[in-house]
Amino acid sequence: MIIRRALPRPGLPAPSQCLRFPRQQRTLATSPGPESDLARHGKVLPTEPPARSQGHRIRPVTADRPFTLKDEFENFQNFRKQSSHTGSRLSRHYAPYKHASRPPSPSDLTLELLMASGAHLGHATALWNPGNQRYIFGIRNGIHIIGLEHTLSHLRRAARVVDRVVEVFGTVLVVGTRAGQERTVVQTAEMMGGYHLFTRWTAGGITNARQILAGEKVVEINDLGEPNPSGPMEDPIPVRPDLVICLNPLENYVLLKECGQFGIPTIGVIDTDADPTWVTYPIPANDDSLRCISLIAGVLGRAGQAGLRRREAEVAEWKLEGEQEDEEAMMEEEEQVEDEQMEIKNWEDFENYMKKREALQDEQLKEINKIQEDLPSTPTLW
Amino acid sequence: MVAGLVSLRHCCRTILGEAFNTRVALPRASFPHPRPLAGARSFTISHVQQARSILDDEGEVNDDWILKTGTGTSGQGPVNIADELTEEDITPTWAEQQFAVRRVPVSASYFTGNATFVDNLLALRALQRKYELLPTIPKDQVPPVKWKTLVEYNALAGKSVSASKFKQLTNILDRLNIIEPTLMPQDVQDVLAWYKRDTQGAVSTQKERTVDEFGRGYGLGRRKTSVARVYVLEGDGQVYINGKTLAEHFERLHDRESAIWPLLVTDRIDKYNVWATVDGGGKTGQAEALTLGVARALMVHEPALKPALRRAGCVTRDHRMVERKKPGHVKARKMPTWVKR
């Protein structure tokens, strides 16, 4: 559609003049810019490399050899690397983001840390579920405040459950389907060698798993962690989780119900508006705060990691045991072979001896016969 | 506990294992989910051992090992087990030779129901995070690329994903594709190569338009049902439409202005001559078809004018057409007047 007011008016620069300005590009601050600028600055640029005292060397820029973006980027990286240790350093300060990437272990957990993560903040009092009465500390500004002693003790109990389940080869599923929980969920599952779910739970994933999980690959693994060399199974029976950690039970009622039907224990973060009977091991805490959720998931992940490490140590022990048994079996086999060989040798000796003896006896017999033949015949008396 | 278990295992192996020269599966106390081994058979080790000795004799049927009942041939009299068993039946499977076996999903995304897609998505997101700070090139300098289609991806992944989920993948791919080519890491290159469509030759590259041997730039413009074929060449501002001057062809001033609007807004009215044929439609349609044609022909001469012409509304084809009349309506939308009975 023609836009009539686009006509140039006196006093304003013509569109053709506007075009002279290059389009904004993402470049680094030290970029030499277009060629005209380079020529203008060409005189003042140093022709020799800068002194080493500057820390990083940059080759001289000339009109025929301008910096490419790659050079710029590498220089920038070098500069960052070398200057990263300069300046003042803050120590012993609260950096909440660290709990997401390096979560504390259950034993390092404190009430202060939970409070700093906002774990105590519940929902408006009108929204409460009376099942949470014993976890609630009080009311402030119209919202329920969760007692953090309960949070801490329940979280530690859940951590022990995770630890032990992972140690005995349990399959742990970590579920967090709210926006922003994806990385927390994936990281937690990774720490404990478990499974993650950050998208909607497909209803029937446990009760109708034959249909829902058809075509998903399952492999047989022996006690030493070695997979079946012939690859994944053909048409396997679907695997069920042995423990489900749910970071937002309110949105995952279907999953929790399926777990209940199959007796799969569940751990869930229960806010003041959630029903604590939906899960086996509730953790009363604020499920709307990503910081709180990442802290809780991180603690559970650490617990699972400890269990995983113990399990790996145990498997390594079994492996060693198996190797020793194999060695013993080999030794026994060798001994048996030696015994048999000795036996055969003895038998052969015996046979030779007997042959010799027979031969000797034959000779003696022959001699006796000969002597008897040579004797003069005695006259018969009758 | 462990010592007792070891001795039990050892004893069992001594009794059974060495006789058959395999590891015999026994439950281990600390191993969860004791469940029957996959492919467990109804006959015992001694059956197998005897059958093997029969097979070894080749042809010599041992009368001691004729079973009274056989599979599938019940009532047919005695069946020779050696005829029933093949070498494959006798060889124990991998699972049967193990001490204990458990089933483990291959992917950590197993319970999502579409593990391949989720794994791919996570891998791409990890790449994007890793190289987030690399410099990028402007969008208009990115070489045209076609990713695998949804159908191709589904065929490779083995399960179907929705178009919106597949879009999540291609969005990340597009972001990775604008990394400065000289700084593109090798792992990103490999990933992008995997997702590229096999027939990269099919990418439609827009043909670059240039002036012809007479110095004319050509442009085709349409509006409503009018079609304008326009030649623009450097000159002094003469305009001929269907052999007539602008003023002769268009009576209305507004139409005259519309026809040469691209030259007007870019201040090029005295620098080019226009020679055009226009066909079909009415005067307004013809004038606005000319706008598009002139703009396109002008961009052949000066491609840098495109942003300015776009701001003036000369680059986009106006796709609006006359709306059809519907039954029950007087016109396209007008309804007959309501009459009381």
Side-chain angles (χ1 to χ4, degrees):
Chain A
M1 201 186 299
I2 294 169
I3 295 160
R4 300 280 162 184
R5 60 187 153 72
L7 196 67
R9 275 171 289 166
L12 288 174
S16 55
Q17 285 170 330
C18 297
L19 291 173
R20 260 194 291 160
F21 295 101
R23 188 179 288 185
Q24 275 296 316
Q25 278 188 23
R26 184 177 168 185
T27 51
L28 299 162
T30 50
S31 173
E35 272 188 12
S36 56
D37 289 350
L38 196 72
R40 200 165 68 233
H41 294 301
K43 287 169 195 166
V44 291
L45 281 170
T47 50
E48 283 178 18
R52 268 182 173 278
S53 59
Q54 282 190 3
H56 58 283
R57 289 185 63 182
I58 298 175
R59 71 167 169 77
V61 182
T62 53
D64 55 328
R65 275 186 71 202
F67 267 175
T68 60
L69 197 61
K70 193 182 178 192
D71 298 330
E72 289 285 341
F73 186 73
E74 278 164 7
N75 288 337
F76 177 61
Q77 294 293 356
N78 282 338
F79 175 74
R80 260 179 53 159
K81 208 162 138 191
Q82 301 202 354
S83 62
S84 62
H85 302 296
T86 57
S88 59
R89 214 168 296 160
L90 289 173
S91 60
R92 295 176 66 80
H93 66 286
Y94 175 55
Y97 58 88
K98 278 185 183 167
H99 295 309
S101 54
R102 272 174 289 161
S105 66
S107 56
D108 294 338
L109 202 60
T110 56
L111 291 177
E112 289 86 348
L113 187 54
L114 283 172
M115 180 163 265
S117 309
H120 59 295
L121 301 167
H123 276 273
T125 49
L127 298 173
W128 85 314
N129 187 317
N132 293 314
Q133 192 173 26
R134 55 180 164 164
Y135 305 133
I136 290 173
F137 175 77
I139 299 170
R140 189 188 167 92
N141 290 345
I143 64 164
H144 276 128
I145 302 296
I146 300 164
L148 289 179
E149 306 87 8
H150 296 289
T151 306
L152 189 66
S153 59
H154 282 73
L155 181 52
R156 284 200 178 139
R157 179 179 69 164
R160 276 178 61 80
V161 171
V162 175
D163 182 323
R164 188 67 188 134
V165 168
V166 172
E167 191 187 344
V168 296
F169 297 85
T171 306
V172 185
L173 172 62
V174 187
V175 183
T177 53
R178 280 196 189 159
Q181 291 182 347
E182 178 196 321
R183 286 194 66 190
T184 307
V185 167
V186 174
Q187 193 188 7
T188 307
E190 205 175 317
M191 280 168 87
M192 60 176 72
Y195 301 85
H196 53 71
L197 180 80
F198 52 84
T199 49
R200 196 178 66 87
W201 167 256
T202 317
I206 292 171
T207 50
N208 188 23
R210 268 282 188 197
Q211 295 293 322
I212 304 290
L213 301 180
E216 298 296 333
K217 284 176 190 162
V218 172
V219 72
E220 288 174 318
I221 282 186
N222 69 4
D223 52 338
L224 304 180
E226 294 153 355
N228 190 336
S230 56
M233 298 166 76
E234 285 171 19
D235 193 20
I237 305 164
V239 176
R240 281 202 293 265
D242 298 313
L243 176 69
V244 172
I245 299 171
C246 187
L247 303 178
N248 56 334
L250 276 180
E251 285 85 3
N252 287 303
Y253 176 73
V254 178
L255 165 67
L256 296 173
K257 178 145 190 178
E258 286 182 34
C259 289
Q261 281 180 18
F262 279 81
I264 296 165
T266 49
I267 293 171
V269 179
I270 297 293
D271 210 332
T272 56
D273 60 344
D275 187 348
T277 58
W278 284 7
V279 294
T280 322
Y281 301 101
I283 302 168
N286 178 10
D287 68 349
D288 301 286
S289 152
L290 283 183
R291 185 177 295 174
C292 172
I293 285 297
S294 67
L295 178 70
I296 287 172
V299 168
L300 296 177
R302 272 272 181 265
Q305 197 179 36
L308 185 66
R309 285 198 179 137
R310 281 206 303 285
R311 174 174 115 188
E312 281 167 353
E314 199 179 2
V315 168
E317 214 171 87
W318 291 349
K319 239 179 212 179
L320 206 65
E321 212 175 84
E323 278 167 16
Q324 281 172 355
E325 278 180 18
D326 287 348
E327 264 177 35
E328 279 170 22
M330 286 262 288
M331 295 265 282
E332 273 175 26
E333 209 171 287
E334 278 171 18
E335 275 174 22
Q336 212 178 337
V337 171
E338 272 174 25
D339 287 350
E340 275 174 17
Q341 281 173 351
M342 284 291 287
E343 234 172 68
I344 291 164
K345 209 179 167 193
N346 292 342
W347 180 248
E348 279 172 358
D349 287 350
F350 178 70
E351 275 190 335
N352 289 339
Y353 165 72
M354 287 301 283
K355 271 179 193 167
K356 270 183 194 172
R357 210 174 123 178
E358 274 172 21
L360 207 68
Q361 279 177 347
D362 283 351
E363 271 174 31
Q364 284 175 351
L365 210 65
K366 275 177 191 171
E367 272 175 26
I368 293 165
N369 286 345
K370 208 179 177 185
I371 292 164
Q372 281 178 349
E373 278 171 16
D374 290 349
L375 280 175
S377 55
T378 49
T380 48
L381 297 176
W382 60 85
Chain B
M1 183 66 188
V2 173
L5 210 63
V6 167
S7 61
L8 175 68
R9 284 174 56 204
H10 190 76
C11 291
C12 292
R13 273 191 65 183
T14 324
I15 297 162
L16 299 172
E18 287 185 1
F20 195 44
N21 199 22
T22 51
R23 296 189 77 189
V24 177
L26 292 171
R28 179 173 251 153
S30 59
F31 206 77
H33 309 304
R35 53 171 84 93
L37 291 171
R41 291 171 201 290
S42 56
F43 48 83
T44 62
I45 284 171
S46 60
H47 279 109
V48 177
Q49 203 180 352
Q50 288 296 333
R52 174 171 274 178
S53 74
I54 293 165
L55 278 187
D56 286 347
D57 292 345
E58 247 185 302
E60 250 185 67
V61 178
N62 191 341
D63 289 341
D64 295 345
W65 287 95
I66 290 175
L67 297 181
K68 293 294 174 195
T69 53
T71 49
T73 50
S74 54
Q76 302 283 319
V79 175
N80 189 349
I81 193 171
D83 295 340
E84 293 276 313
L85 289 175
T86 59
E87 187 66 30
E88 210 171 274
D89 286 332
I90 290 167
T91 318
T93 62
W94 180 86
E96 282 166 354
Q97 291 176 44
Q98 301 307 311
F99 187 80
V101 173
R102 63 197 180 104
R103 292 171 295 120
V104 173
V106 172
S107 162
S109 315
Y110 177 77
F111 292 101
T112 58
N114 200 341
T116 318
F117 167 74
V118 178
D119 284 345
N120 287 347
L121 185 68
L122 285 175
L124 282 181
R125 284 194 181 156
L127 262 191
Q128 190 186 355
R129 273 201 306 277
K130 190 174 170 190
Y131 297 117
E132 212 159 24
L133 297 177
L134 284 182
T136 55
I137 48 177
K139 288 236 164 106
D140 55 345
Q141 289 175 23
V142 180
V145 62
K146 282 203 171 175
W147 308 121
K148 281 189 167 68
T149 59
L150 180 60
V151 178
E152 283 172 334
Y153 178 79
N154 284 343
L156 284 170
K159 265 200 170 182
S160 62
V161 295
S162 64
S164 62
K165 283 188 171 177
F166 184 64
K167 186 79 179 134
Q168 293 179 345
L169 290 187
T170 50
N171 282 347
I172 300 174
L173 290 172
D174 286 338
R175 172 61 184 80
L176 289 173
N177 197 35
I178 62 167
I179 294 174
E180 165 73 27
T182 51
L183 287 165
M184 183 83 84
Q186 188 58 43
D187 46 353
V188 177
Q189 283 178 31
D190 295 343
V191 167
L192 292 185
W194 191 86
Y195 280 100
K196 269 176 195 167
R197 209 181 288 178
D198 291 336
T199 51
Q200 283 297 311
V203 174
S204 60
T205 46
Q206 220 171 9
K207 204 165 66 181
E208 201 176 328
R209 298 200 176 275
T210 50
V211 291
D212 61 9
E213 68 264 38
F214 306 113
R216 300 178 302 184
Y218 173 71
L220 179 79
R222 292 180 206 267
R223 169 81 175 97
K224 292 189 182 178
T225 53
S226 309
V227 183
R229 295 175 179 83
V230 183
Y231 292 92
V232 168
L233 59 157
E234 283 181 36
D236 51 1
Q238 300 175 52
V239 179
Y240 283 93
I241 295 157
N242 289 352
K244 292 182 274 187
T245 60
L246 189 64
E248 281 169 8
H249 193 265
F250 292 116
E251 295 82 14
R252 282 183 73 207
L253 270 176
H254 189 273
D255 288 343
R256 291 178 200 168
E257 198 183 54
S258 295
I260 53 164
W261 187 250
L263 298 173
L264 219 59
V265 288
T266 53
D267 209 9
R268 297 285 193 278
I269 202 147
D270 53 346
K271 294 185 178 59
Y272 291 98
N273 289 346
V274 177
W275 190 92
T277 58
V278 61
D279 192 12
K283 288 290 180 189
T284 312
Q286 289 190 346
E288 292 185 8
L290 277 168
T291 312
L292 184 60
V294 170
R296 284 180 178 169
L298 183 60
M299 280 191 289
V300 174
H301 289 276
E302 291 180 72
L305 286 179
K306 189 170 182 177
L309 290 172
R310 185 177 288 288
R311 284 196 294 276
C314 302
V315 176
T316 311
R317 158 78 155 101
D318 192 344
H319 64 274
R320 291 174 299 173
M321 302 295 271
V322 173
E323 188 176 339
R324 65 152 288 185
K325 183 198 169 297
K326 280 90 172 174
H329 288 246
V330 180
K331 302 200 292 181
R333 302 191 181 182
K334 187 183 178 184
M335 292 294 281
T337 324
W338 182 73
V339 184
K340 191 179 180 186
R341 251 117 356 233

